[in-house]
PDB file of all heavy atoms in Angstrom:
ATOM      1  N   HIS A  60     -25.894  57.756  26.396  1.00  0.00           N
ATOM      2  CA  HIS A  60     -25.758  56.367  26.833  1.00  0.00           C
ATOM      3  C   HIS A  60     -25.845  55.403  25.658  1.00  0.00           C
ATOM      4  O   HIS A  60     -26.922  55.151  25.129  1.00  0.00           O
ATOM      5  CB  HIS A  60     -26.830  56.031  27.868  1.00  0.00           C
ATOM      6  CG  HIS A  60     -26.795  56.961  29.026  1.00  0.00           C
ATOM      7  ND1 HIS A  60     -27.531  58.111  29.086  1.00  0.00           N
ATOM      8  CD2 HIS A  60     -26.045  56.943  30.148  1.00  0.00           C
ATOM      9  CE1 HIS A  60     -27.266  58.751  30.196  1.00  0.00           C
ATOM     10  NE2 HIS A  60     -26.369  58.079  30.848  1.00  0.00           N
ATOM     11  N   PRO A  61     -24.725  54.840  25.249  1.00  0.00           N
ATOM     12  CA  PRO A  61     -24.733  53.830  24.191  1.00  0.00           C
ATOM     13  C   PRO A  61     -25.205  52.499  24.761  1.00  0.00           C
ATOM     14  O   PRO A  61     -25.574  52.393  25.926  1.00  0.00           O
ATOM     15  CB  PRO A  61     -23.250  53.759  23.800  1.00  0.00           C
ATOM     16  CG  PRO A  61     -22.545  54.043  25.089  1.00  0.00           C
ATOM     17  CD  PRO A  61     -23.398  55.069  25.797  1.00  0.00           C
ATOM     18  N   ASP A  62     -25.179  51.450  23.923  1.00  0.00           N
ATOM     19  CA  ASP A  62     -25.495  50.124  24.433  1.00  0.00           C
ATOM     20  C   ASP A  62     -24.496  49.759  25.520  1.00  0.00           C
ATOM     21  O   ASP A  62     -23.290  49.925  25.367  1.00  0.00           O
ATOM     22  CB  ASP A  62     -25.419  49.080  23.309  1.00  0.00           C
ATOM     23  CG  ASP A  62     -26.515  49.290  22.278  1.00  0.00           C
ATOM     24  OD1 ASP A  62     -27.535  49.902  22.637  1.00  0.00           O
ATOM     25  OD2 ASP A  62     -26.349  48.848  21.129  1.00  0.00           O
ATOM     26  N   LEU A  63     -24.995  49.257  26.632  1.00  0.00           N
ATOM     27  CA  LEU A  63     -24.143  48.963  27.771  1.00  0.00           C
ATOM     28  C   LEU A  63     -23.758  47.492  27.798  1.00  0.00           C
ATOM     29  O   LEU A  63     -24.533  46.635  27.378  1.00  0.00           O
ATOM     30  CB  LEU A  63     -24.857  49.327  29.073  1.00  0.00           C
ATOM     31  CG  LEU A  63     -25.338  50.776  29.161  1.00  0.00           C
ATOM     32  CD1 LEU A  63     -25.991  51.021  30.505  1.00  0.00           C
ATOM     33  CD2 LEU A  63     -24.181  51.734  28.952  1.00  0.00           C
ATOM     34  N   PRO A  64     -22.557  47.155  28.278  1.00  0.00           N
ATOM     35  CA  PRO A  64     -22.132  45.763  28.341  1.00  0.00           C
ATOM     36  C   PRO A  64     -22.967  44.967  29.328  1.00  0.00           C
ATOM     37  O   PRO A  64     -23.505  45.507  30.289  1.00  0.00           O
ATOM     38  CB  PRO A  64     -20.671  45.856  28.821  1.00  0.00           C
ATOM     39  CG  PRO A  64     -20.612  47.158  29.559  1.00  0.00           C
ATOM     40  CD  PRO A  64     -21.546  48.078  28.821  1.00  0.00           C
ATOM     41  N   VAL A  65     -23.094  43.678  29.058  1.00  0.00           N
ATOM     42  CA  VAL A  65     -23.819  42.805  29.964  1.00  0.00           C
ATOM     43  C   VAL A  65     -23.013  42.627  31.248  1.00  0.00           C
ATOM     44  O   VAL A  65     -21.792  42.466  31.217  1.00  0.00           O
ATOM     45  CB  VAL A  65     -24.052  41.424  29.305  1.00  0.00           C
ATOM     46  CG1 VAL A  65     -24.709  40.467  30.293  1.00  0.00           C
ATOM     47  CG2 VAL A  65     -24.916  41.583  28.062  1.00  0.00           C
ATOM     48  N   ILE A  66     -23.698  42.665  32.398  1.00  0.00           N
ATOM     49  CA  ILE A  66     -23.036  42.571  33.692  1.00  0.00           C
ATOM     50  C   ILE A  66     -23.372  41.236  34.326  1.00  0.00           C
ATOM     51  O   ILE A  66     -24.513  40.787  34.265  1.00  0.00           O
ATOM     52  CB  ILE A  66     -23.494  43.713  34.611  1.00  0.00           C
ATOM     53  CG1 ILE A  66     -23.180  45.068  33.958  1.00  0.00           C
ATOM     54  CG2 ILE A  66     -22.840  43.629  35.975  1.00  0.00           C
ATOM     55  CD1 ILE A  66     -23.910  46.212  34.609  1.00  0.00           C
ATOM     56  N   SER A  67     -22.380  40.592  34.918  1.00  0.00           N
ATOM     57  CA  SER A  67     -22.597  39.339  35.620  1.00  0.00           C
ATOM     58  C   SER A  67     -23.664  39.509  36.686  1.00  0.00           C
ATOM     59  O   SER A  67     -23.627  40.441  37.481  1.00  0.00           O
ATOM     60  CB  SER A  67     -21.288  38.876  36.276  1.00  0.00           C
ATOM     61  OG  SER A  67     -21.550  37.907  37.260  1.00  0.00           O
ATOM     62  N   GLY A  68     -24.638  38.600  36.701  1.00  0.00           N
ATOM     63  CA  GLY A  68     -25.720  38.694  37.663  1.00  0.00           C
ATOM     64  C   GLY A  68     -25.228  38.632  39.093  1.00  0.00           C
ATOM     65  O   GLY A  68     -25.704  39.375  39.950  1.00  0.00           O
ATOM     66  N   ALA A  69     -24.284  37.735  39.363  1.00  0.00           N
ATOM     67  CA  ALA A  69     -23.791  37.574  40.733  1.00  0.00           C
ATOM     68  C   ALA A  69     -23.104  38.848  41.216  1.00  0.00           C
ATOM     69  O   ALA A  69     -23.319  39.295  42.347  1.00  0.00           O
ATOM     70  CB  ALA A  69     -22.834  36.388  40.806  1.00  0.00           C
ATOM     71  N   VAL A  70     -22.267  39.438  40.371  1.00  0.00           N
ATOM     72  CA  VAL A  70     -21.568  40.670  40.742  1.00  0.00           C
ATOM     73  C   VAL A  70     -22.563  41.804  40.948  1.00  0.00           C
ATOM     74  O   VAL A  70     -22.506  42.538  41.932  1.00  0.00           O
ATOM     75  CB  VAL A  70     -20.527  41.054  39.673  1.00  0.00           C
ATOM     76  CG1 VAL A  70     -20.033  42.490  39.895  1.00  0.00           C
ATOM     77  CG2 VAL A  70     -19.353  40.090  39.700  1.00  0.00           C
ATOM     78  N   ALA A  71     -23.507  41.939  40.003  1.00  0.00           N
ATOM     79  CA  ALA A  71     -24.486  43.024  40.098  1.00  0.00           C
ATOM     80  C   ALA A  71     -25.318  42.903  41.367  1.00  0.00           C
ATOM     81  O   ALA A  71     -25.584  43.892  42.054  1.00  0.00           O
ATOM     82  CB  ALA A  71     -25.388  43.032  38.865  1.00  0.00           C
ATOM     83  N   ASP A  72     -25.753  41.694  41.695  1.00  0.00           N
ATOM     84  CA  ASP A  72     -26.563  41.491  42.900  1.00  0.00           C
ATOM     85  C   ASP A  72     -25.772  41.841  44.160  1.00  0.00           C
ATOM     86  O   ASP A  72     -26.296  42.466  45.090  1.00  0.00           O
ATOM     87  CB  ASP A  72     -27.033  40.034  42.990  1.00  0.00           C
ATOM     88  CG  ASP A  72     -28.139  39.726  41.988  1.00  0.00           C
ATOM     89  OD1 ASP A  72     -28.694  40.678  41.409  1.00  0.00           O
ATOM     90  OD2 ASP A  72     -28.433  38.535  41.784  1.00  0.00           O
ATOM     91  N   THR A  73     -24.505  41.427  44.201  1.00  0.00           N
ATOM     92  CA  THR A  73     -23.674  41.694  45.375  1.00  0.00           C
ATOM     93  C   THR A  73     -23.425  43.187  45.535  1.00  0.00           C
ATOM     94  O   THR A  73     -23.488  43.725  46.655  1.00  0.00           O
ATOM     95  CB  THR A  73     -22.335  40.949  45.261  1.00  0.00           C
ATOM     96  OG1 THR A  73     -22.583  39.543  45.146  1.00  0.00           O
ATOM     97  CG2 THR A  73     -21.456  41.200  46.472  1.00  0.00           C
ATOM     98  N   VAL A  74     -23.138  43.850  44.426  1.00  0.00           N
ATOM     99  CA  VAL A  74     -22.915  45.299  44.467  1.00  0.00           C
ATOM    100  C   VAL A  74     -24.182  46.015  44.910  1.00  0.00           C
ATOM    101  O   VAL A  74     -24.146  46.923  45.755  1.00  0.00           O
ATOM    102  CB  VAL A  74     -22.446  45.809  43.083  1.00  0.00           C
ATOM    103  CG1 VAL A  74     -22.491  47.338  43.030  1.00  0.00           C
ATOM    104  CG2 VAL A  74     -21.036  45.315  42.782  1.00  0.00           C
ATOM    105  N   GLU A  75     -25.323  45.612  44.353  1.00  0.00           N
ATOM    106  CA  GLU A  75     -26.602  46.226  44.714  1.00  0.00           C
ATOM    107  C   GLU A  75     -26.860  46.111  46.215  1.00  0.00           C
ATOM    108  O   GLU A  75     -27.228  47.088  46.871  1.00  0.00           O
ATOM    109  CB  GLU A  75     -27.726  45.535  43.950  1.00  0.00           C
ATOM    110  CG  GLU A  75     -29.119  45.882  44.418  1.00  0.00           C
ATOM    111  CD  GLU A  75     -30.127  44.844  43.962  1.00  0.00           C
ATOM    112  OE1 GLU A  75     -30.239  44.614  42.740  1.00  0.00           O
ATOM    113  OE2 GLU A  75     -30.785  44.248  44.835  1.00  0.00           O
ATOM    114  N   ASP A  76     -26.651  44.916  46.755  1.00  0.00           N
ATOM    115  CA  ASP A  76     -26.879  44.706  48.190  1.00  0.00           C
ATOM    116  C   ASP A  76     -25.978  45.610  49.034  1.00  0.00           C
ATOM    117  O   ASP A  76     -26.420  46.184  50.033  1.00  0.00           O
ATOM    118  CB  ASP A  76     -26.609  43.240  48.554  1.00  0.00           C
ATOM    119  CG  ASP A  76     -27.679  42.300  48.012  1.00  0.00           C
ATOM    120  OD1 ASP A  76     -28.772  42.781  47.674  1.00  0.00           O
ATOM    121  OD2 ASP A  76     -27.399  41.085  47.914  1.00  0.00           O
ATOM    122  N   ALA A  77     -24.724  45.732  48.627  1.00  0.00           N
ATOM    123  CA  ALA A  77     -23.775  46.532  49.395  1.00  0.00           C
ATOM    124  C   ALA A  77     -24.110  48.013  49.333  1.00  0.00           C
ATOM    125  O   ALA A  77     -23.951  48.739  50.322  1.00  0.00           O
ATOM    126  CB  ALA A  77     -22.357  46.293  48.877  1.00  0.00           C
ATOM    127  N   VAL A  78     -24.595  48.487  48.172  1.00  0.00           N
ATOM    128  CA  VAL A  78     -24.975  49.892  48.035  1.00  0.00           C
ATOM    129  C   VAL A  78     -26.137  50.218  48.965  1.00  0.00           C
ATOM    130  O   VAL A  78     -26.129  51.229  49.676  1.00  0.00           O
ATOM    131  CB  VAL A  78     -25.345  50.205  46.567  1.00  0.00           C
ATOM    132  CG1 VAL A  78     -26.006  51.574  46.465  1.00  0.00           C
ATOM    133  CG2 VAL A  78     -24.103  50.164  45.678  1.00  0.00           C
ATOM    134  N   VAL A  79     -27.150  49.347  48.972  1.00  0.00           N
ATOM    135  CA  VAL A  79     -28.338  49.603  49.785  1.00  0.00           C
ATOM    136  C   VAL A  79     -28.035  49.483  51.272  1.00  0.00           C
ATOM    137  O   VAL A  79     -28.491  50.294  52.088  1.00  0.00           O
ATOM    138  CB  VAL A  79     -29.470  48.620  49.407  1.00  0.00           C
ATOM    139  CG1 VAL A  79     -30.635  48.743  50.373  1.00  0.00           C
ATOM    140  CG2 VAL A  79     -29.945  48.894  47.986  1.00  0.00           C
ATOM    141  N   ALA A  80     -27.240  48.475  51.645  1.00  0.00           N
ATOM    142  CA  ALA A  80     -27.001  48.191  53.065  1.00  0.00           C
ATOM    143  C   ALA A  80     -25.811  48.948  53.646  1.00  0.00           C
ATOM    144  O   ALA A  80     -25.568  48.864  54.850  1.00  0.00           O
ATOM    145  CB  ALA A  80     -26.788  46.691  53.257  1.00  0.00           C
ATOM    146  N   SER A  81     -25.050  49.683  52.815  1.00  0.00           N
ATOM    147  CA  SER A  81     -23.834  50.375  53.273  1.00  0.00           C
ATOM    148  C   SER A  81     -22.882  49.396  53.952  1.00  0.00           C
ATOM    149  O   SER A  81     -22.545  49.529  55.132  1.00  0.00           O
ATOM    150  CB  SER A  81     -24.182  51.539  54.215  1.00  0.00           C
ATOM    151  OG  SER A  81     -24.922  52.529  53.541  1.00  0.00           O
ATOM    152  N   ARG A  82     -22.464  48.399  53.176  1.00  0.00           N
ATOM    153  CA  ARG A  82     -21.535  47.390  53.657  1.00  0.00           C
ATOM    154  C   ARG A  82     -20.296  47.382  52.758  1.00  0.00           C
ATOM    155  O   ARG A  82     -20.393  47.555  51.545  1.00  0.00           O
ATOM    156  CB  ARG A  82     -22.167  45.992  53.636  1.00  0.00           C
ATOM    157  CG  ARG A  82     -23.325  45.822  54.619  1.00  0.00           C
ATOM    158  CD  ARG A  82     -22.829  45.854  56.064  1.00  0.00           C
ATOM    159  NE  ARG A  82     -23.867  45.521  57.019  1.00  0.00           N
ATOM    160  CZ  ARG A  82     -24.671  46.389  57.592  1.00  0.00           C
ATOM    161  NH1 ARG A  82     -24.577  47.675  57.248  1.00  0.00           N
ATOM    162  NH2 ARG A  82     -25.572  46.012  58.475  1.00  0.00           N
ATOM    163  N   VAL A  83     -19.136  47.170  53.362  1.00  0.00           N
ATOM    164  CA  VAL A  83     -17.871  47.169  52.629  1.00  0.00           C
ATOM    165  C   VAL A  83     -17.814  45.964  51.689  1.00  0.00           C
ATOM    166  O   VAL A  83     -18.249  44.861  52.029  1.00  0.00           O
ATOM    167  CB  VAL A  83     -16.679  47.131  53.602  1.00  0.00           C
ATOM    168  CG1 VAL A  83     -15.361  46.987  52.850  1.00  0.00           C
ATOM    169  CG2 VAL A  83     -16.677  48.382  54.470  1.00  0.00           C
ATOM    170  N   LEU A  84     -17.264  46.210  50.495  1.00  0.00           N
ATOM    171  CA  LEU A  84     -17.062  45.147  49.511  1.00  0.00           C
ATOM    172  C   LEU A  84     -15.576  44.913  49.290  1.00  0.00           C
ATOM    173  O   LEU A  84     -14.779  45.851  49.309  1.00  0.00           O
ATOM    174  CB  LEU A  84     -17.675  45.537  48.164  1.00  0.00           C
ATOM    175  CG  LEU A  84     -19.154  45.299  47.907  1.00  0.00           C
ATOM    176  CD1 LEU A  84     -19.509  45.801  46.508  1.00  0.00           C
ATOM    177  CD2 LEU A  84     -19.515  43.837  48.060  1.00  0.00           C
ATOM    178  N   HIS A  85     -15.212  43.650  49.063  1.00  0.00           N
ATOM    179  CA  HIS A  85     -13.853  43.307  48.643  1.00  0.00           C
ATOM    180  C   HIS A  85     -13.917  43.016  47.149  1.00  0.00           C
ATOM    181  O   HIS A  85     -14.590  42.072  46.726  1.00  0.00           O
ATOM    182  CB  HIS A  85     -13.323  42.097  49.395  1.00  0.00           C
ATOM    183  CG  HIS A  85     -11.910  41.747  49.033  1.00  0.00           C
ATOM    184  ND1 HIS A  85     -10.829  42.459  49.509  1.00  0.00           N
ATOM    185  CD2 HIS A  85     -11.411  40.782  48.213  1.00  0.00           C
ATOM    186  CE1 HIS A  85      -9.720  41.946  49.011  1.00  0.00           C
ATOM    187  NE2 HIS A  85     -10.048  40.927  48.219  1.00  0.00           N
ATOM    188  N   LEU A  86     -13.235  43.847  46.349  1.00  0.00           N
ATOM    189  CA  LEU A  86     -13.290  43.727  44.898  1.00  0.00           C
ATOM    190  C   LEU A  86     -12.017  43.111  44.332  1.00  0.00           C
ATOM    191  O   LEU A  86     -10.911  43.386  44.805  1.00  0.00           O
ATOM    192  CB  LEU A  86     -13.477  45.100  44.243  1.00  0.00           C
ATOM    193  CG  LEU A  86     -14.718  45.925  44.578  1.00  0.00           C
ATOM    194  CD1 LEU A  86     -14.720  47.192  43.732  1.00  0.00           C
ATOM    195  CD2 LEU A  86     -15.990  45.118  44.368  1.00  0.00           C
ATOM    196  N   THR A  87     -12.207  42.305  43.302  1.00  0.00           N
ATOM    197  CA  THR A  87     -11.125  41.903  42.418  1.00  0.00           C
ATOM    198  C   THR A  87     -11.398  42.616  41.109  1.00  0.00           C
ATOM    199  O   THR A  87     -12.430  42.358  40.460  1.00  0.00           O
ATOM    200  CB  THR A  87     -11.095  40.386  42.199  1.00  0.00           C
ATOM    201  OG1 THR A  87     -10.956  39.733  43.469  1.00  0.00           O
ATOM    202  CG2 THR A  87      -9.937  39.991  41.297  1.00  0.00           C
ATOM    203  N   TYR A  88     -10.482  43.525  40.722  1.00  0.00           N
ATOM    204  CA  TYR A  88     -10.775  44.442  39.627  1.00  0.00           C
ATOM    205  C   TYR A  88      -9.672  44.419  38.575  1.00  0.00           C
ATOM    206  O   TYR A  88      -8.481  44.385  38.905  1.00  0.00           O
ATOM    207  CB  TYR A  88     -10.934  45.862  40.176  1.00  0.00           C
ATOM    208  CG  TYR A  88     -11.419  46.876  39.170  1.00  0.00           C
ATOM    209  CD1 TYR A  88     -12.740  46.870  38.744  1.00  0.00           C
ATOM    210  CD2 TYR A  88     -10.561  47.833  38.641  1.00  0.00           C
ATOM    211  CE1 TYR A  88     -13.198  47.801  37.820  1.00  0.00           C
ATOM    212  CE2 TYR A  88     -11.008  48.769  37.723  1.00  0.00           C
ATOM    213  CZ  TYR A  88     -12.334  48.743  37.310  1.00  0.00           C
ATOM    214  OH  TYR A  88     -12.784  49.655  36.389  1.00  0.00           O
ATOM    215  N   THR A  89     -10.090  44.454  37.315  1.00  0.00           N
ATOM    216  CA  THR A  89      -9.151  44.519  36.194  1.00  0.00           C
ATOM    217  C   THR A  89      -9.262  45.879  35.529  1.00  0.00           C
ATOM    218  O   THR A  89     -10.335  46.242  35.036  1.00  0.00           O
ATOM    219  CB  THR A  89      -9.454  43.433  35.153  1.00  0.00           C
ATOM    220  OG1 THR A  89      -9.457  42.150  35.792  1.00  0.00           O
ATOM    221  CG2 THR A  89      -8.410  43.438  34.043  1.00  0.00           C
ATOM    222  N   ASP A  90      -8.165  46.660  35.512  1.00  0.00           N
ATOM    223  CA  ASP A  90      -8.248  47.993  34.919  1.00  0.00           C
ATOM    224  C   ASP A  90      -8.081  47.920  33.410  1.00  0.00           C
ATOM    225  O   ASP A  90      -7.937  46.833  32.824  1.00  0.00           O
ATOM    226  CB  ASP A  90      -7.229  48.941  35.558  1.00  0.00           C
ATOM    227  CG  ASP A  90      -5.784  48.535  35.261  1.00  0.00           C
ATOM    228  OD1 ASP A  90      -5.537  47.756  34.316  1.00  0.00           O
ATOM    229  OD2 ASP A  90      -4.883  49.019  35.995  1.00  0.00           O
ATOM    230  N   ARG A  91      -8.093  49.072  32.758  1.00  0.00           N
ATOM    231  CA  ARG A  91      -8.042  49.110  31.287  1.00  0.00           C
ATOM    232  C   ARG A  91      -6.750  48.543  30.729  1.00  0.00           C
ATOM    233  O   ARG A  91      -6.697  48.060  29.603  1.00  0.00           O
ATOM    234  CB  ARG A  91      -8.228  50.548  30.808  1.00  0.00           C
ATOM    235  CG  ARG A  91      -9.615  51.109  31.072  1.00  0.00           C
ATOM    236  CD  ARG A  91      -9.763  52.512  30.528  1.00  0.00           C
ATOM    237  NE  ARG A  91     -11.080  53.064  30.819  1.00  0.00           N
ATOM    238  CZ  ARG A  91     -11.470  54.285  30.465  1.00  0.00           C
ATOM    239  NH1 ARG A  91     -10.614  55.082  29.817  1.00  0.00           N
ATOM    240  NH2 ARG A  91     -12.685  54.713  30.758  1.00  0.00           N
ATOM    241  N   ALA A  92      -5.684  48.616  31.516  1.00  0.00           N
ATOM    242  CA  ALA A  92      -4.391  48.080  31.066  1.00  0.00           C
ATOM    243  C   ALA A  92      -4.273  46.586  31.309  1.00  0.00           C
ATOM    244  O   ALA A  92      -3.272  45.974  30.952  1.00  0.00           O
ATOM    245  CB  ALA A  92      -3.259  48.820  31.774  1.00  0.00           C
ATOM    246  N   GLY A  93      -5.279  45.991  31.933  1.00  0.00           N
ATOM    247  CA  GLY A  93      -5.246  44.560  32.207  1.00  0.00           C
ATOM    248  C   GLY A  93      -4.669  44.191  33.554  1.00  0.00           C
ATOM    249  O   GLY A  93      -4.573  43.006  33.887  1.00  0.00           O
ATOM    250  N   ALA A  94      -4.272  45.193  34.344  1.00  0.00           N
ATOM    251  CA  ALA A  94      -3.708  44.915  35.669  1.00  0.00           C
ATOM    252  C   ALA A  94      -4.826  44.531  36.641  1.00  0.00           C
ATOM    253  O   ALA A  94      -5.874  45.164  36.682  1.00  0.00           O
ATOM    254  CB  ALA A  94      -2.968  46.143  36.186  1.00  0.00           C
ATOM    255  N   ILE A  95      -4.579  43.488  37.424  1.00  0.00           N
ATOM    256  CA  ILE A  95      -5.559  42.991  38.378  1.00  0.00           C
ATOM    257  C   ILE A  95      -5.173  43.445  39.782  1.00  0.00           C
ATOM    258  O   ILE A  95      -4.016  43.353  40.183  1.00  0.00           O
ATOM    259  CB  ILE A  95      -5.647  41.454  38.330  1.00  0.00           C
ATOM    260  CG1 ILE A  95      -6.080  41.000  36.934  1.00  0.00           C
ATOM    261  CG2 ILE A  95      -6.618  40.934  39.381  1.00  0.00           C
ATOM    262  CD1 ILE A  95      -6.064  39.497  36.753  1.00  0.00           C
ATOM    263  N   SER A  96      -6.146  43.944  40.512  1.00  0.00           N
ATOM    264  CA  SER A  96      -5.895  44.382  41.888  1.00  0.00           C
ATOM    265  C   SER A  96      -7.052  43.936  42.773  1.00  0.00           C
ATOM    266  O   SER A  96      -8.148  43.640  42.299  1.00  0.00           O
ATOM    267  CB  SER A  96      -5.741  45.909  41.958  1.00  0.00           C
ATOM    268  OG  SER A  96      -6.935  46.549  41.548  1.00  0.00           O
ATOM    269  N   GLU A  97      -6.749  43.908  44.076  1.00  0.00           N
ATOM    270  CA  GLU A  97      -7.786  43.609  45.060  1.00  0.00           C
ATOM    271  C   GLU A  97      -7.814  44.745  46.074  1.00  0.00           C
ATOM    272  O   GLU A  97      -6.762  45.265  46.460  1.00  0.00           O
ATOM    273  CB  GLU A  97      -7.511  42.268  45.748  1.00  0.00           C
ATOM    274  CG  GLU A  97      -7.597  41.090  44.800  1.00  0.00           C
ATOM    275  CD  GLU A  97      -7.642  39.759  45.529  1.00  0.00           C
ATOM    276  OE1 GLU A  97      -7.888  39.769  46.757  1.00  0.00           O
ATOM    277  OE2 GLU A  97      -7.446  38.716  44.879  1.00  0.00           O
ATOM    278  N   ARG A  98      -9.015  45.112  46.481  1.00  0.00           N
ATOM    279  CA  ARG A  98      -9.146  46.251  47.393  1.00  0.00           C
ATOM    280  C   ARG A  98     -10.491  46.210  48.098  1.00  0.00           C
ATOM    281  O   ARG A  98     -11.449  45.607  47.594  1.00  0.00           O
ATOM    282  CB  ARG A  98      -9.000  47.557  46.624  1.00  0.00           C
ATOM    283  CG  ARG A  98     -10.089  47.780  45.588  1.00  0.00           C
ATOM    284  CD  ARG A  98      -9.785  48.950  44.683  1.00  0.00           C
ATOM    285  NE  ARG A  98      -8.776  48.611  43.679  1.00  0.00           N
ATOM    286  CZ  ARG A  98      -8.114  49.525  42.974  1.00  0.00           C
ATOM    287  NH1 ARG A  98      -8.313  50.813  43.194  1.00  0.00           N
ATOM    288  NH2 ARG A  98      -7.239  49.169  42.067  1.00  0.00           N
ATOM    289  N   ASP A  99     -10.548  46.847  49.249  1.00  0.00           N
ATOM    290  CA  ASP A  99     -11.811  47.018  49.964  1.00  0.00           C
ATOM    291  C   ASP A  99     -12.363  48.400  49.643  1.00  0.00           C
ATOM    292  O   ASP A  99     -11.607  49.388  49.646  1.00  0.00           O
ATOM    293  CB  ASP A  99     -11.609  46.890  51.480  1.00  0.00           C
ATOM    294  CG  ASP A  99     -11.364  45.447  51.909  1.00  0.00           C
ATOM    295  OD1 ASP A  99     -11.650  44.536  51.102  1.00  0.00           O
ATOM    296  OD2 ASP A  99     -10.885  45.235  53.034  1.00  0.00           O
ATOM    297  N   VAL A 100     -13.659  48.460  49.360  1.00  0.00           N
ATOM    298  CA  VAL A 100     -14.283  49.735  49.002  1.00  0.00           C
ATOM    299  C   VAL A 100     -15.573  49.929  49.780  1.00  0.00           C
ATOM    300  O   VAL A 100     -16.215  48.966  50.207  1.00  0.00           O
ATOM    301  CB  VAL A 100     -14.570  49.824  47.489  1.00  0.00           C
ATOM    302  CG1 VAL A 100     -13.297  49.639  46.681  1.00  0.00           C
ATOM    303  CG2 VAL A 100     -15.641  48.805  47.071  1.00  0.00           C
ATOM    304  N   GLU A 101     -15.944  51.195  49.952  1.00  0.00           N
ATOM    305  CA  GLU A 101     -17.219  51.565  50.569  1.00  0.00           C
ATOM    306  C   GLU A 101     -18.138  52.057  49.452  1.00  0.00           C
ATOM    307  O   GLU A 101     -17.975  53.164  48.946  1.00  0.00           O
ATOM    308  CB  GLU A 101     -17.003  52.661  51.609  1.00  0.00           C
ATOM    309  CG  GLU A 101     -16.058  52.266  52.730  1.00  0.00           C
ATOM    310  CD  GLU A 101     -15.737  53.420  53.669  1.00  0.00           C
ATOM    311  OE1 GLU A 101     -16.404  54.481  53.547  1.00  0.00           O
ATOM    312  OE2 GLU A 101     -14.828  53.272  54.515  1.00  0.00           O
ATOM    313  N   PRO A 102     -19.090  51.227  49.020  1.00  0.00           N
ATOM    314  CA  PRO A 102     -19.954  51.603  47.887  1.00  0.00           C
ATOM    315  C   PRO A 102     -20.786  52.843  48.176  1.00  0.00           C
ATOM    316  O   PRO A 102     -21.417  52.952  49.229  1.00  0.00           O
ATOM    317  CB  PRO A 102     -20.859  50.370  47.709  1.00  0.00           C
ATOM    318  CG  PRO A 102     -20.103  49.252  48.336  1.00  0.00           C
ATOM    319  CD  PRO A 102     -19.385  49.871  49.500  1.00  0.00           C
ATOM    320  N   MET A 103     -20.784  53.779  47.232  1.00  0.00           N
ATOM    321  CA  MET A 103     -21.523  55.022  47.392  1.00  0.00           C
ATOM    322  C   MET A 103     -22.744  55.071  46.480  1.00  0.00           C
ATOM    323  O   MET A 103     -23.772  55.633  46.844  1.00  0.00           O
ATOM    324  CB  MET A 103     -20.606  56.210  47.102  1.00  0.00           C
ATOM    325  CG  MET A 103     -19.399  56.264  48.023  1.00  0.00           C
ATOM    326  SD  MET A 103     -18.119  57.415  47.457  1.00  0.00           S
ATOM    327  CE  MET A 103     -18.931  58.970  47.692  1.00  0.00           C
ATOM    328  N   GLY A 104     -22.633  54.509  45.276  1.00  0.00           N
ATOM    329  CA  GLY A 104     -23.759  54.537  44.351  1.00  0.00           C
ATOM    330  C   GLY A 104     -23.369  53.969  43.009  1.00  0.00           C
ATOM    331  O   GLY A 104     -22.224  53.534  42.795  1.00  0.00           O
ATOM    332  N   LEU A 105     -24.330  53.960  42.100  1.00  0.00           N
ATOM    333  CA  LEU A 105     -24.122  53.450  40.752  1.00  0.00           C
ATOM    334  C   LEU A 105     -24.246  54.585  39.752  1.00  0.00           C
ATOM    335  O   LEU A 105     -25.160  55.408  39.846  1.00  0.00           O
ATOM    336  CB  LEU A 105     -25.155  52.364  40.430  1.00  0.00           C
ATOM    337  CG  LEU A 105     -25.068  51.106  41.283  1.00  0.00           C
ATOM    338  CD1 LEU A 105     -26.290  50.223  41.052  1.00  0.00           C
ATOM    339  CD2 LEU A 105     -23.798  50.335  40.975  1.00  0.00           C
ATOM    340  N   LEU A 106     -23.332  54.619  38.812  1.00  0.00           N
ATOM    341  CA  LEU A 106     -23.299  55.675  37.803  1.00  0.00           C
ATOM    342  C   LEU A 106     -23.546  55.069  36.425  1.00  0.00           C
ATOM    343  O   LEU A 106     -22.886  54.111  36.023  1.00  0.00           O
ATOM    344  CB  LEU A 106     -21.940  56.375  37.831  1.00  0.00           C
ATOM    345  CG  LEU A 106     -21.708  57.432  36.764  1.00  0.00           C
ATOM    346  CD1 LEU A 106     -22.600  58.637  37.015  1.00  0.00           C
ATOM    347  CD2 LEU A 106     -20.247  57.860  36.750  1.00  0.00           C
TER     348      LEU A 106
END
């Protein structure tokens, strides 16, 4: 585990709540190529 990037507090809090409560999240995500997508996901855990 190298130094990890800083994570937005709002995003981290929302993800944490969804993981614990098993609630669907709507994500706006930017992949490595810079493409932006939106999707609904069922959070399973944090890696």
